[in-house]
Amino acid sequence: MAMAVFKSPIKGEFHGPRKMETKDYRRHSSGRRRVFVQTETGCVLGVELDRSDNVHTVKKRLQIAFNFPTEESSLTFGDMVLKNDDLSAVRNDSPLLLKRNLMHRSSSTPCLSPTGNDLQRKDLSGPIEILSHSRCFLSLKQTASDIVEAMKTGVEPILVNGGMGGAYYFRNEKGQSVAIVKPTDEEPFAPNNPKGFTGKSLGEPGLKPSVRVGETGYREVAAYLLDYDHFANVPPTALVKITHTVFNVNDGVNGNRSREKKKLVSSKIASFQKFVAHDFDASDHGTSSFPVASVHRIGILDIRILNTDRHGGNLLVKKLDGRFGQVELIPIDHGLCLPETLEDPYFEWIHWPQASIPFSEEELDYIGSLDPVKDCEMLRRELPMIREACLRVLALCTVFLKEAAAYGLCLAEIGEMMTREFHAGGEVPSVLEMLCIEAKRLIAEGDVLSFKSDIEGETEFQFDLDYSDLDPVYSSKTQTLIVKNPFSNGRSSLGKLEEGEEDETEEEAGLTLSLSKLSTSAKDSNLSNKVGSVYLDTPRDETEKTLSSHKSANVLLPVSTNFVKLADMIEVEWVVFLEKFQELLDSAFAERRTMTLRSRQRLGTSCQF
């Protein structure tokens, strides 16, 4: 089911790297582009596009390869649903997703999978292909080459036993692990998960409601790309198309594993991260010996990307030779960062004494140099399939970090302002979320969107998550407005405005009422006191939800509460929102500082590390 099926080679097919200096990085000089189409069940098909190809011709070729009608399916590229024969936005080596339309899904509808004959076809491309020609990934090309040579001599990858998803150590000719590979279709709850955690198709909400199944690999790469100058020590990570017999292939979306022992050559879209030798992880070691600078740098990255899963198990610890008691920290596993909406982050370092030490001048300079506009532009260039909702979260959190650090707050204070509090029966929004709620209220009072754009977007964007739990977060009834915005890619892919604001959820209505007493003046607002006094009686409805009739249906997932929607704002509203948000920050920071001085019993600058 995950077998790569390639059309016959075409004259002029390219195999070598291209120079980044070329002005049109989307196309080969011959006008051909190669893309990798992945079905929602994990099958990967390599397709070479000619200038004359369009959505219709590509679907026809997919129909022949998969032996299944594709008329009622959609080709998607990140947020964008490719329609009207337009493939101009698709870059070379990009992964596309072939999805059945929601209205045509049913339990009796067969999965988009190739037949048994298709599974016997050979992959005509290389065993490992990095899906980018950027210089950011040059260091991984040699690693991939070493692995290919080892594969020729019979060195097999090793399945990683830990974790919920499929991950594999790939080795060099000496048998040393040099890379860890995580196929997107073997993530938790993905169709080909090897550990029984299945039940969903690619593109549906996963472990976190705002992180879709099959897209954690993109986030792994994004974290590496955002770690400028290797500041936080994230190992080099790229998105690859990789082929091997070691990968897992189930019999369907429910994950019934075949009893046949025959190994099938299967191709996968996967994250490919350089393996870093280490001695243990942070959960096995006392944190007091961790360098303050390392904790700060990792924390700075986690705040920027709103990491919802930073725990000791994904902080590797490496002893430094010749330096007694000194260690190096290596952060890994960033698949649950950059959610599509504000989630409750998890920062284990928030309780470490190092996080209460003020930032150094070097760290402040680094934070000051961060530019969320350039960050978003870079990710659109290097990871064009990343969703605009994720970029809004990145921009918001980066602005918050920059302003908080400039005000003089320490890492722990910033992290605590981003983290929710829990009370009996429900969650209380974080200070960050309360600031966003207040900024949106100010926009509504100011009637920012009293005008309507004369421009109508003609491109349909796959903005809705096809999942009932996220209905309050994304609206299915939308209209597209296009305006200019420095945080936008020009396509206005986030240009979705709800037509029926009167249909807001009861939870949102309760928040609006609770916040109505907040001061509309940034100077007069006492936001953190309001946060403490507003108690939201919002128990998690359906906190447990079964996944399917498969055995993994016994795995229960909590449904996270979503207090703030960033993605429902059109571009002009988003710009004004950021302005209002920044106006509220000084008062919130001042109140936070007052709270710290009054009551916080935490180790401070008097402690030596």
Side-chain angles (χ1 to χ4, degrees), residues 3-7 43-47 65-66 114 118-119 121-122:
M3 184 63 185
V5 187
F6 287 82
K7 60 182 291 188
C43 175
V44 178
L45 172 71
V47 178
F66 295 147
D118 293 318
L119 290 173
R121 300 188 187 183
K122 297 295 184 180

Side-chain angles (χ1 to χ4, degrees), residues 13-227:
E13 181 180 12
F14 63 94
H15 297 282
R18 293 169 299 160
K19 294 182 179 180
M20 290 299 295
E21 289 80 1
T22 55
K23 293 183 180 180
D24 187 358
Y25 55 81
R26 292 183 178 179
R27 298 176 184 272
H28 184 252
S29 59
S30 65
R32 295 192 179 98
R33 288 166 292 163
R34 182 183 53 184
V35 297
F36 296 93
V37 180
Q38 187 176 35
T39 72
E40 54 191 357
T41 57
C43 175
V44 178
L45 172 71
V47 178
E48 188 168 294
L49 304 179
D50 296 321
R51 290 184 183 273
S52 59
D53 276 323
N54 54 45
V55 173
H56 178 73
T57 59
V58 171
K59 282 188 176 182
K60 283 294 184 183
R61 286 155 66 179
L62 297 176
Q63 180 170 317
I64 295 172
F66 295 147
N67 193 29
F68 185 85
T70 58
E71 291 85 356
E72 304 300 338
S73 300
S74 300
L75 268 179
T76 64
F77 182 50
D79 289 316
M80 188 183 302
V81 178
L82 301 176
K83 298 181 67 177
N84 303 326
D85 297 337
D86 184 15
L87 294 175
S88 60
V90 179
R91 284 178 47 180
N92 186 54
D93 285 345
S94 292
L96 307 181
L97 181 63
L98 182 66
K99 295 185 62 177
R100 290 167 294 164
N101 294 336
L102 182 61
M103 63 181 295
H104 297 285
R105 293 183 185 177
S106 68
S107 57
S108 60
T109 304
C111 295
L112 293 172
S113 306
T115 63
N117 292 333
D118 293 318
L119 290 173
Q120 303 304 316
R121 300 188 187 183
K122 297 295 184 180
D123 188 342
L124 300 180
S125 64
I128 304 176
E129 297 197 21
I130 297 176
L131 303 188
S132 173
H133 296 287
S134 170
R135 290 174 176 168
C136 300
F137 308 111
L138 287 177
S139 64
L140 289 174
K141 291 187 176 181
Q142 184 59 50
T143 303
S145 177
D146 293 342
I147 292 172
V148 171
E149 293 302 314
M151 290 163 57
K152 292 177 181 178
T153 62
V155 178
E156 295 289 321
I158 301 173
L159 175 66
V160 179
N161 293 323
M164 296 175 63
Y168 303 85
Y169 291 126
F170 276 70
R171 302 181 289 171
N172 59 18
E173 291 184 88
K174 298 179 180 179
Q176 301 168 329
S177 296
V178 292
I180 182 167
V181 174
K182 300 178 183 178
T184 59
D185 65 328
E186 296 188 27
E187 294 177 8
F189 312 114
N192 292 316
N193 182 277
K195 300 174 182 178
F197 299 104
T198 58
K200 293 190 177 184
S201 299
L202 299 182
E204 293 184 326
L207 277 172
K208 294 283 183 179
S210 58
V211 177
R212 307 182 195 223
V213 174
E215 297 188 5
T216 63
Y218 305 162
R219 290 166 167 83
E220 295 262 17
V221 180
Y224 166 64
L225 292 172
L226 289 168
D227 186 24

Side-chain angles (χ1 to χ4, degrees), residues 398-607:
T398 302
V399 168
F400 187 73
L401 169 67
K402 288 171 67 69
E403 296 291 337
Y407 191 86
L409 298 187
C410 67
L411 181 63
E413 291 173 314
I414 300 172
E416 287 172 353
M417 293 181 73
M418 300 176 71
T419 304
R420 296 176 185 173
E421 293 183 7
F422 290 83
H423 297 280
E427 296 178 341
V428 173
S430 66
V431 175
L432 173 64
E433 289 171 308
M434 294 292 284
L435 288 165
C436 292
I437 293 168
E438 174 68 355
K440 293 190 74 172
R441 187 185 68 80
L442 292 174
I443 292 176
E445 284 188 352
D447 197 19
V448 174
L449 300 178
S450 58
F451 65 91
K452 289 188 177 181
S453 173
D454 295 328
I455 306 174
E456 293 184 1
E458 298 180 353
T459 307
E460 177 183 347
F461 293 93
Q462 190 187 24
F463 195 69
D464 297 340
L465 290 180
D466 300 329
Y467 196 58
S468 59
D469 293 330
L470 289 185
D471 287 344
V473 186
Y474 301 101
S475 171
S476 59
K477 296 181 179 180
T478 57
Q479 63 180 6
T480 302
L481 302 179
I482 300 179
V483 294
K484 292 184 179 180
N485 172 18
F487 290 96
S488 170
N489 61 357
R491 300 195 310 240
S492 188
S493 58
L494 281 178
K496 302 278 189 170
L497 177 65
E498 294 184 7
E499 294 177 350
E501 286 296 332
E502 67 277 7
D503 295 331
E504 67 180 347
T505 64
E506 293 182 4
E507 178 178 270
E508 289 177 313
L511 282 172
T512 303
L513 291 173
S514 300
L515 288 167
S516 61
K517 296 181 181 180
L518 288 176
S519 171
T520 58
S521 170
K523 294 181 180 180
D524 298 332
S525 64
N526 192 343
L527 192 61
S528 57
N529 278 343
K530 297 294 182 179
V531 172
S533 63
V534 176
Y535 178 75
L536 299 173
D537 187 15
T538 53
R540 295 187 181 190
D541 296 327
E542 299 181 10
T543 55
E544 296 177 345
K545 190 177 184 70
T546 57
L547 299 177
S548 70
S549 58
H550 183 55
K551 67 177 182 178
S552 61
N554 295 324
V555 179
L556 304 177
L557 288 179
V559 178
S560 178
T561 303
N562 293 292
F563 295 113
V564 181
K565 296 185 293 184
L566 299 178
D568 64 344
M569 291 180 279
I570 63 173
E571 301 292 346
V572 65
E573 189 178 14
W574 168 240
V575 173
V576 177
F577 165 82
L578 286 176
E579 293 175 354
K580 298 295 183 183
F581 174 77
Q582 287 180 271
E583 290 173 3
L584 295 168
L585 291 179
D586 277 355
S587 296
F589 296 153
E591 187 63 27
R592 176 66 208 189
R593 176 53 54 85
T594 300
M595 291 173 59
T596 301
L597 294 175
R598 286 177 181 172
S599 61
R600 191 163 145 194
Q601 299 296 321
R602 184 182 290 273
L603 295 175
T605 55
S606 61
C607 294

